[in-house]
Amino acid sequence: MPSPQPVDMARSRVFGGVAETYDAARAGYPDALVSAVLGYAALGDRPALEAGAGTGKATVPFAAALTTPLTCVEPDARMAEVLRRNTSPYPHVTIDVSPFEDFRPGDTRYGLFFSATAWHWFDPDRRWDLVHDALAPGGAVALFWNPVGVRDPGLHAALAEVDRRHGLTGTPHAELASSYGDTPGQWPGMLGHWPALDCEHDARFTDLRSLRFREDTDYDTAHYLDYLSSISRYATLPPHHRTQVLADTAAALTAHGGRLPVTRHHDLFLARRT
């Protein structure tokens, strides 16, 4: 099994500077995924814990569905400010502004731990220990991501040329939708690092499941540029370089009708503390 990917701390701390753009441009998660997680967790009256909550793209649908307390851990105060605004209708939500690695559950043990597009930012040497220690026996783990694949091969090729020209790799539009397999976690950013590969060798977790939910959608040019601006790979570019990359990306989109048709894959991993 490949070694865990090291965390790029510089990239992991840039989101607060684009918190409002992140909140407006990032995709959320489907009701079917939320229902699958809560059905698996069977929380009862036990509380839930989210790590890397960001501005609440997953928090809000979970908070709306939960009646038990939900604690959200988010390391960036600027992201947490937007998160606090978005969760204000839900008095059972508590926000802890700290890195997940510094969070201390005290005597509380949770019936569900979940993390949306954030697991890869946590210390790979400690994250499973921290989750195990936070969960009650039988408590559930839910980790999920929502990568996209471009449905138009011609537009994909044009965007790939922009990326090549600017030395970018691993961008959100780097893959064709047709390149995704049928197995959850089967996409380039995750191959060899899907959480099941850790848990199948860890006797502390059992009942491993992997699910995929698909949806076809499209971005107009302005929305997609905002989305790219919220991605760490773009946010860490020097300003003049980022401006040119976004301009060239916009030109490629405009030349292909001004829209980016994609398939979004919501990949979900579930496990349970033994």
Side-chain angles (χ1 to χ4, degrees):
M1 184 179 68
S3 300
Q5 295 168 305
V7 176
D8 185 332
M9 295 306 297
R11 285 179 55 191
S12 73
R13 295 293 185 261
V14 302
F15 300 110
V18 291
E20 294 291 351
T21 300
Y22 185 108
D23 190 56
R26 287 289 186 110
Y29 300 89
D31 291 342
L33 182 148
V34 176
S35 296
V37 171
L38 295 180
Y40 175 88
L43 269 176
D45 61 357
R46 295 177 299 176
L49 172 66
E50 179 187 12
T55 64
K57 304 307 291 188
T59 316
V60 170
F62 274 92
L66 286 168
T67 57
T68 58
L70 169 60
T71 298
C72 303
V73 182
E74 167 51 44
D76 192 294
R78 297 162 296 180
M79 297 286 275
E81 182 179 353
V82 181
L83 174 65
R84 192 169 286 111
R85 182 184 72 213
N86 288 339
T87 57
S88 60
Y90 307 104
H92 55 294
V93 172
T94 301
I95 298 169
D96 187 302
V97 182
S98 69
F100 177 49
E101 292 82 356
D102 294 343
F103 175 71
R104 298 294 180 264
D107 294 332
T108 303
R109 290 298 175 266
Y110 298 89
L112 169 65
F113 169 89
F114 68 95
S115 186
T117 316
W119 182 249
H120 51 284
W121 294 123
F122 306 144
D123 182 349
D125 294 324
R126 298 180 58 205
R127 56 193 179 189
W128 286 112
D129 295 336
L130 295 169
V131 169
H132 177 268
D133 292 346
L135 284 174
V141 181
L143 310 174
F144 44 97
W145 292 260
N146 55 3
V148 300
V150 180
R151 298 203 309 272
D152 180 340
L155 177 52
H156 175 264
L159 292 171
E161 173 56 25
V162 172
D163 290 352
R164 186 200 63 75
R165 226 167 37 240
H166 289 282
L168 295 175
T169 59
T171 60
H173 48 257
E175 300 300 321
L176 276 168
S178 59
S179 70
Y180 282 76
D182 294 325
T183 304
Q186 190 173 320
W187 40 282
M190 190 56 66
L191 286 176
H193 299 281
W194 186 239
L197 297 175
D198 293 328
C199 279
E200 66 186 7
H201 300 290
D202 191 334
R204 297 175 299 176
F205 298 95
T206 188
D207 193 15
L208 313 184
R209 306 183 193 182
S210 296
L211 304 172
R212 171 171 284 176
F213 305 86
R214 287 188 182 88
E215 61 177 336
D216 288 342
T217 186
D218 64 312
Y219 291 91
D220 63 32
T221 298
H223 187 183
Y224 193 62
L225 295 185
D226 283 345
Y227 171 49
L228 292 183
S229 297
S230 79
I231 299 292
S232 60
R233 194 174 306 277
Y234 289 80
T236 54
L237 290 173
H240 68 281
H241 189 188
R242 181 169 59 251
T243 298
Q244 189 59 58
V245 170
L246 294 177
D248 290 352
T249 301
L253 291 170
T254 300
H256 287 77
R259 304 197 76 81
L260 177 65
V262 299
T263 298
R264 185 171 291 115
H265 305 77
H266 299 276
D267 282 5
L268 166 65
F269 171 73
L270 297 167
R272 195 178 305 282
R273 177 182 162 174
T274 52

